[in-house]
Amino acid sequence: MAQKLDPWKSSEISDYSKLFDEFGIQPFAEVLDEIPNPHKYMRRGIIFGHRGYDMIADAIKNQKQFVVLDGFMPTGKAHFGHKMVMDQIVWYQKQGGIAVIGIADREAHAVRDLTWEECKRIGVEEYITSLIALGLQPENARIYFQSECQPVKDLAFELGTKVNFSEMAAIYGFSGETHLAHMIAVLTQGADILHSQLPMYEGPIPVVVPVGADQDPHIRLTRDIASKMNMFLIERREDSKTGKSYWSVRGKNAPEDALKEIDKNIRGGFGGAGVSTKLSKEHIDIFGDISEAELSEIVKNAELAHGGYAFMIPASTYHRFMSGLTGGKMSSSIPESNIALSEDPKSAAKKIMKAKTGGRESAEEQRELGGEFDKCSVYELYLFHLTDDDDELIQVQKECTSGSILCGECKKKAAGKMEAFLTDLQQKREEAFEKLPLFSIDYRK
Amino acid sequence: MAQKLDPWKSSEISDYSKLFDEFGIQPFAEVLDEIPNPHKYMRRGIIFGHRGYDMIADAIKNQKQFVVLDGFMPTGKAHFGHKMVMDQIVWYQKQGGIAVIGIADREAHAVRDLTWEECKRIGVEEYITSLIALGLQPENARIYFQSECQPVKDLAFELGTKVNFSEMAAIYGFSGETHLAHMIAVLTQGADILHSQLPMYEGPIPVVVPVGADQDPHIRLTRDIASKMNMFLIERREDSKTGKSYWSVRGKNAPEDALKEIDKNIRGGFGGAGVSTKLSKEHIDIFGDISEAELSEIVKNAELAHGGYAFMIPASTYHRFMSGLTGGKMSSSIPESNIALSEDPKSAAKKIMKAKTGGRESAEEQRELGGEFDKCSVYELYLFHLTDDDDELIQVQKECTSGSILCGECKKKAAGKMEAFLTDLQQKREEAFEKLPLFSIDYRK
């Protein structure tokens, strides 16, 4: 049976490698070397896959403008799973990116039946303040609620002209019972991802969306729609007779004038450099020495001048999930399985002391054989959150496998770190309320 | 086979009486006597059916506030079919109604693929100027484009929480191929009908939507959704033992406080007058002498105070369609079959001179037997448009059936009237452009 990713059913994805084969996600390892100072999630293989990341690596390396975008559905508590995304947003902002954060209140309202007031409270008190506490800076940041962002809502409608019910059903398992607002919420997420490229914001710009693997359906749908929204398709083709390759620019319902303008600008700019064109009714073939970047720029400008979007297809990264502290999945219905960012530090420490580890049957056995850190939820806490220092992480591994430190002592250390982290974070979350106006957010507790 | 009304396929509805039986549309004749100065379409049986019109007749008669709402999809030319709706809007405004007119550019964009600019141009130059030329006054009028009206768009999303794909498919014949924007356009029409009842506009108020019979699916859907959006349902029930009847107010996911408030206000206001209540978790039973109007007012106020809509279920009227001048249906693909409101008066006169009539084989035969006005498209022009004077209409009938006037002479008269009407209307349509700012419409030719 084909594997199905469903963003509304949190599923443990047992075999990530299938994602490469079945869904066309690329291994992140292939682009890792292109990134100057990779995030610990990248170095540690937690971010395991991507789509279209080359343009993001290029933007970071060459200090070009780019956007990091993520959405948070304001339901329940922000927890350490959300922190993974928040950490990445903050990191991208430090790498020069513009951080754009959408609070998906349309989804929470339509799918989870929360009132708009609840969405606002949870959005600010759980998610936005945590993000600010984790280091988001006001400069080069834009935080918005979907319900309050007209360009996002209008773009969602526009995207709806390019996707039909069957496509939605195939991707999300929607049925006849699915409410229309649920479908519109999905379109709105597409608009979250694409709206920064509207002329009123940044215009066409590389955008990266860091998500968990279960969110890939949204990404695929949005990449597909973005491509359908564009007027032109640039392809490399080969002449079947001569074997020579050339560029083809195809206009999909593009105004005739726009295609003519592209033809004129290629000939005007490159005609002297041995570039020739053949203009047909709906496409142009381009022969000779012109780079994809040069061609894309000409096409983009013509498309924008004729009211098109010229969207750059958004990139994404995929990270794997932490296990729950009690073993198995993290679940909000099992409070002991996870820790909220707003949690009392002592309560969090207690949860760690009770967590499932990779310990052996007896202390003797463990001193002899060592622990199994790859089965340990406390080790995962280190791996994902408790240290940015890879050497320290290796030290934790060694102490475990050598049996020199047993689970009790290790948990105590981790619990201490967690308590210190949360004590600091709670302080910063309180301070974050004061900083809300810097992010143009009007809210009082 | 069950008859199906499809607003996107203009269908000749051969047997209007079926609409009463199969779809629950009420005969308009039943409410006609309640209307002080009925419109000619009412007097002449052209408006043949309604839903929930009693509250509108009551509002007109007793000079209470009400809204007349209609939408126009800005595609192609406004013609004499649209004039029927426009005439009614102008008439309701004269009877004291607030006229609210939505230009359905979302539908034109999503379903007919028109650009927003085309929608704007057609909306103003064809529809809005015609409506003003036909007599719409700036006072007590509000004209808007869907794409520019945030409350309408936001309400459309909200309505989407109450209707699922199966319901849409059953009503409109939507399939997997249907684009989501098409579905959102339908929700937006529901929002057109309901949004005047939002607190930012009039609050709960009677609304009437005059439409052709083919538009009933929209009306039924909107009435159904309006009812689902409300917190409370008021019903008359009967005690199975005593046979006594009483009122029941049921809360559908209503806040508990709201139900308690209703109970308190009934007992506070009417407790002394022999009214008693029985409050349960999700409903109140009310015994004794309280009118539906009094009860509705209490329930409405509690619902509004607790963030509900308290929508009054919108009313509608249904009119039959004119035949095409060439016989059969009016069709924009057969220019001779219909006359546009922006048409050159002489061209319109010529079309009438070529129109299909109820004439006999020969002049002799017609002088002897008389014409058949009930088969005559020129008579229909008189019936629908060319005279407001019922006596004149009867005169036309008599001259036809008596054979005293033959078709040529009759057509000439009608053509002359049409030419005069359109000459005057073109003048007024030009003047209407100057009046656009009075309707807060920013547009230049």
Side-chain angles (χ1 to χ4, degrees):
Chain A
M1 211 184 73
Q3 194 167 2
K4 190 148 191 163
L5 294 177
D6 177 351
W8 285 285
K9 285 194 194 119
S10 165
S11 56
E12 198 177 10
I13 291 153
S14 50
D15 188 356
Y16 288 103
S17 71
K18 275 191 188 171
L19 296 174
F20 301 138
D21 302 334
E22 288 190 24
F23 294 105
I25 292 175
Q26 303 292 312
F28 197 81
E30 292 178 4
V31 291
L32 185 59
D33 290 346
E34 300 299 313
I35 304 162
N37 298 298
H39 188 270
K40 68 178 176 191
Y41 295 154
M42 298 171 175
R43 299 192 311 263
R44 296 175 186 177
I46 291 169
I47 294 172
F48 65 90
H50 77 94
R51 290 185 193 272
Y53 198 81
D54 307 77
M55 66 175 179
I56 303 300
D58 173 63
I60 295 174
K61 201 157 68 174
N62 299 301
Q63 303 189 345
K64 298 177 188 168
Q65 278 215 310
F66 73 99
V67 163
V68 57
L69 174 287
D70 242 306
F72 295 94
M73 178 160 66
T75 59
K77 298 268 176 198
H79 55 58
F80 276 73
H82 299 111
K83 175 176 172 290
M84 291 181 64
V85 175
M86 294 176 182
D87 284 345
Q88 293 178 67
I89 294 170
V90 170
W91 179 83
Y92 279 114
Q93 197 189 39
K94 281 190 188 137
Q95 312 308 307
I98 301 165
V100 181
I101 297 101
I103 303 299
D105 57 351
R106 271 191 155 190
E107 190 181 359
H109 183 71
V111 182
R112 302 290 178 89
D113 217 19
L114 266 68
T115 67
W116 297 110
E117 291 71 24
E118 287 169 322
C119 290
K120 184 86 184 202
R121 184 183 60 75
I122 296 172
V124 172
E125 298 196 2
E126 285 294 322
Y127 294 86
I128 296 174
T129 48
S130 294
L131 195 47
I132 296 172
L134 288 168
L136 190 75
Q137 298 300 312
E139 204 186 337
N140 279 336
R142 181 161 56 82
I143 306 178
Y144 65 93
F145 284 74
Q146 288 175 332
S147 68
E148 296 168 6
C149 188
Q150 299 308 338
V152 162
K153 290 188 284 185
D154 286 343
L155 182 57
F157 176 76
E158 204 73 63
L159 302 184
T161 63
K162 301 294 178 195
V163 57
N164 67 33
F165 179 74
S166 294
E167 290 160 333
M168 278 278 169
I171 295 175
Y172 297 107
F174 282 175
S175 74
E177 302 298 301
T178 305
H179 281 153
L180 293 202
H182 192 154
M183 301 184 204
I184 305 175
V186 169
L187 292 175
T188 310
Q189 293 195 25
D192 285 335
I193 295 174
L194 294 174
H195 82 284
S196 295
Q197 298 194 57
L198 293 174
M200 72 184 73
Y201 294 105
E202 311 299 331
I205 188 172
V207 175
V208 63
V209 193
V211 293
D214 61 332
Q215 297 299 309
D216 188 48
H218 289 313
I219 303 292
R220 275 185 292 151
L221 176 69
T222 305
R223 286 169 59 91
D224 183 44
I225 296 179
S227 160
K228 285 181 184 165
M229 296 288 284
N230 287 345
M231 281 182 186
F232 297 102
L233 184 66
I234 301 175
E235 287 175 319
R236 194 70 177 157
R237 294 190 169 186
E238 198 170 279
D239 188 305
S240 55
K241 286 177 194 165
T242 64
K244 278 191 181 169
S245 60
Y246 62 96
W247 291 108
S248 156
V249 175
R250 265 198 297 146
K252 303 172 294 180
N253 307 318
E256 214 176 313
D257 284 357
L259 206 64
K260 281 184 185 163
E261 186 174 314
I262 292 169
D263 183 60
K264 198 184 105 192
N265 288 341
I266 293 171
R267 285 186 288 109
F270 299 88
V275 173
S276 67
T277 65
K278 199 175 126 190
L279 176 65
S280 309
K281 197 165 180 295
E282 289 188 337
H283 64 99
I284 315 173
D285 294 336
I286 302 124
F287 309 90
D289 195 21
I290 184 169
S291 74
E292 183 170 11
E294 287 161 334
L295 183 56
S296 296
E297 186 69 15
I298 290 173
V299 170
K300 179 184 85 178
N301 290 334
E303 179 161 345
L304 290 176
H306 288 83
Y309 294 99
F311 286 135
M312 298 181 78
I313 307 304
S316 52
T317 64
Y318 303 95
H319 52 259
R320 61 194 186 86
F321 303 106
M322 271 198 303
S323 312
L325 290 174
T326 48
K329 285 193 295 182
M330 270 197 189
S331 164
S332 40
S333 59
I334 309 169
E336 290 74 27
S337 73
N338 68 74
I339 295 170
L341 294 177
S342 59
E343 188 144 341
D344 169 54
K346 291 210 186 307
S347 144
K350 272 183 201 157
K351 285 182 181 178
I352 293 178
M353 292 311 292
K354 290 180 192 165
K356 178 188 168 289
T357 67
R360 304 285 180 176
E361 296 279 310
S362 67
E364 287 69 38
E365 199 183 332
Q366 186 156 350
R367 282 203 192 87
E368 193 182 327
L369 298 172
E372 297 177 290
F373 71 86
D374 53 338
K375 293 177 182 172
C376 176
S377 70
V378 178
Y379 176 74
E380 277 198 85
L381 273 182
Y382 271 102
L383 176 68
F384 282 80
H385 297 290
L386 292 181
T387 178
D388 289 343
D389 180 352
D390 291 352
D391 290 339
E392 185 181 350
L393 188 69
I394 290 166
Q395 184 65 22
V396 172
Q397 276 186 23
K398 277 186 185 161
E399 289 172 351
C400 176
T401 50
S402 68
S404 66
I405 284 184
L406 299 191
C407 292
E409 191 180 343
C410 180
K411 284 200 279 193
K412 212 167 169 184
K413 256 189 177 172
K417 272 180 171 284
M418 177 60 82
E419 197 175 330
F421 172 78
L422 280 182
T423 303
D424 180 55
L425 190 71
Q426 301 319 354
Q427 174 68 27
K428 286 180 176 156
R429 277 171 39 80
E430 277 309 309
E431 290 162 11
F433 280 96
E434 307 300 315
K435 293 182 187 167
L436 290 174
L438 301 176
F439 292 89
S440 306
I441 289 166
D442 181 21
Y443 182 83
R444 269 184 234 177
K445 260 206 275 198
Chain B
M1 208 183 76
Q3 194 168 2
K4 190 149 192 164
L5 294 178
D6 177 351
W8 286 285
K9 282 190 199 127
S10 163
S11 57
E12 198 178 8
I13 293 153
S14 49
D15 189 357
Y16 288 104
S17 70
K18 276 192 187 169
L19 295 174
F20 301 139
D21 302 333
E22 288 191 21
F23 295 104
I25 292 175
Q26 302 292 314
F28 197 81
E30 291 178 4
V31 292
L32 186 60
D33 289 347
E34 301 298 313
I35 304 162
N37 297 299
H39 188 270
K40 66 178 176 191
Y41 295 155
M42 298 170 174
R43 299 192 310 263
R44 298 177 185 175
I46 291 169
I47 293 171
F48 66 91
H50 77 93
R51 290 185 192 272
Y53 198 81
D54 307 77
M55 67 176 177
I56 303 300
D58 173 63
I60 294 173
K61 201 157 67 173
N62 299 302
Q63 303 190 343
K64 298 178 188 166
Q65 277 214 310
F66 73 99
V67 163
V68 56
L69 174 289
D70 241 306
F72 295 94
M73 177 160 66
T75 60
K77 299 270 174 198
H79 54 59
F80 276 73
H82 300 111
K83 176 175 172 291
M84 291 180 64
V85 176
M86 293 175 183
D87 284 345
Q88 294 178 66
I89 293 170
V90 170
W91 179 83
Y92 279 113
Q93 196 189 39
K94 280 191 190 136
Q95 310 310 308
I98 301 165
V100 181
I101 296 102
I103 303 298
D105 56 350
R106 270 189 155 190
E107 190 181 0
H109 183 71
V111 182
R112 301 290 177 89
D113 215 20
L114 266 66
T115 66
W116 297 109
E117 292 72 23
E118 288 169 321
C119 291
K120 183 87 185 200
R121 184 184 59 74
I122 295 171
V124 172
E125 298 196 1
E126 285 293 323
Y127 293 85
I128 296 173
T129 49
S130 295
L131 194 48
I132 295 171
L134 287 169
L136 189 76
Q137 298 301 313
E139 205 186 336
N140 279 337
R142 181 161 56 82
I143 307 177
Y144 65 92
F145 284 74
Q146 288 175 332
S147 68
E148 297 168 5
C149 188
Q150 298 309 338
V152 163
K153 291 188 284 185
D154 285 345
L155 182 57
F157 176 77
E158 204 72 63
L159 302 184
T161 63
K162 301 294 178 196
V163 57
N164 67 32
F165 179 74
S166 294
E167 290 160 333
M168 278 277 170
I171 296 175
Y172 298 106
F174 283 174
S175 74
E177 303 298 302
T178 306
H179 281 152
L180 293 202
H182 193 154
M183 301 183 204
I184 304 174
V186 170
L187 292 175
T188 310
Q189 293 194 25
D192 285 334
I193 294 174
L194 294 174
H195 81 285
S196 295
Q197 298 194 57
L198 293 174
M200 71 184 73
Y201 294 105
E202 311 299 331
I205 189 172
V207 175
V208 62
V209 193
V211 294
D214 61 331
Q215 298 298 311
D216 187 48
H218 290 314
I219 303 292
R220 275 185 293 151
L221 177 68
T222 306
R223 285 170 59 92
D224 183 45
I225 295 178
S227 159
K228 286 182 185 165
M229 297 287 285
N230 286 346
M231 280 180 184
F232 297 102
L233 184 67
I234 301 175
E235 285 174 321
R236 194 70 179 158
R237 294 190 169 186
E238 197 169 279
D239 189 307
S240 55
K241 287 178 196 164
T242 65
K244 278 193 182 170
S245 61
Y246 62 97
W247 290 107
S248 156
V249 175
R250 265 198 298 146
K252 304 171 294 178
N253 306 318
E256 212 175 314
D257 284 356
L259 206 63
K260 282 185 187 163
E261 186 174 315
I262 291 169
D263 183 59
K264 198 184 106 193
N265 289 341
I266 292 172
R267 284 187 288 110
F270 298 87
V275 173
S276 67
T277 65
K278 199 176 128 191
L279 175 66
S280 308
K281 197 165 183 293
E282 289 186 339
H283 64 99
I284 315 174
D285 294 337
I286 303 124
F287 309 90
D289 195 22
I290 183 169
S291 73
E292 183 169 13
E294 288 162 335
L295 183 55
S296 296
E297 187 69 16
I298 289 173
V299 170
K300 179 185 85 177
N301 290 335
E303 177 160 349
L304 290 176
H306 288 82
Y309 295 99
F311 286 134
M312 297 181 78
I313 306 304
S316 52
T317 65
Y318 304 94
H319 52 258
R320 60 191 187 89
F321 302 107
M322 271 198 301
S323 312
L325 291 174
T326 49
K329 286 193 297 183
M330 270 200 190
S331 164
S332 41
S333 59
I334 309 170
E336 289 73 27
S337 72
N338 68 75
I339 295 170
L341 294 177
S342 58
E343 188 145 339
D344 170 50
K346 291 208 184 308
S347 144
K350 272 183 201 157
K351 284 181 181 177
I352 293 178
M353 291 310 293
K354 289 182 193 162
K356 178 185 169 290
T357 68
R360 304 283 179 178
E361 296 280 308
S362 68
E364 287 70 38
E365 199 183 331
Q366 188 156 351
R367 281 203 193 87
E368 192 181 327
L369 299 172
E372 297 178 289
F373 70 86
D374 53 338
K375 293 178 180 170
C376 176
S377 70
V378 177
Y379 176 74
E380 277 198 84
L381 273 182
Y382 271 100
L383 178 68
F384 284 80
H385 297 290
L386 292 182
T387 180
D388 289 343
D389 179 351
D390 291 352
D391 291 336
E392 186 181 350
L393 189 68
I394 291 167
Q395 183 66 20
V396 173
Q397 277 185 22
K398 279 186 184 163
E399 288 171 350
C400 176
T401 50
S402 68
S404 64
I405 283 184
L406 299 191
C407 292
E409 192 181 340
C410 180
K411 284 199 278 192
K412 213 167 166 185
K413 256 188 176 170
K417 273 181 170 282
M418 177 60 82
E419 197 175 329
F421 172 78
L422 281 181
T423 303
D424 180 57
L425 190 71
Q426 301 318 354
Q427 175 67 28
K428 286 179 177 156
R429 277 171 39 80
E430 278 309 308
E431 290 162 11
F433 279 96
E434 308 300 315
K435 294 182 187 165
L436 291 173
L438 300 176
F439 293 88
S440 307
I441 290 166
D442 180 22
Y443 182 82
R444 268 183 236 178
K445 260 205 272 197

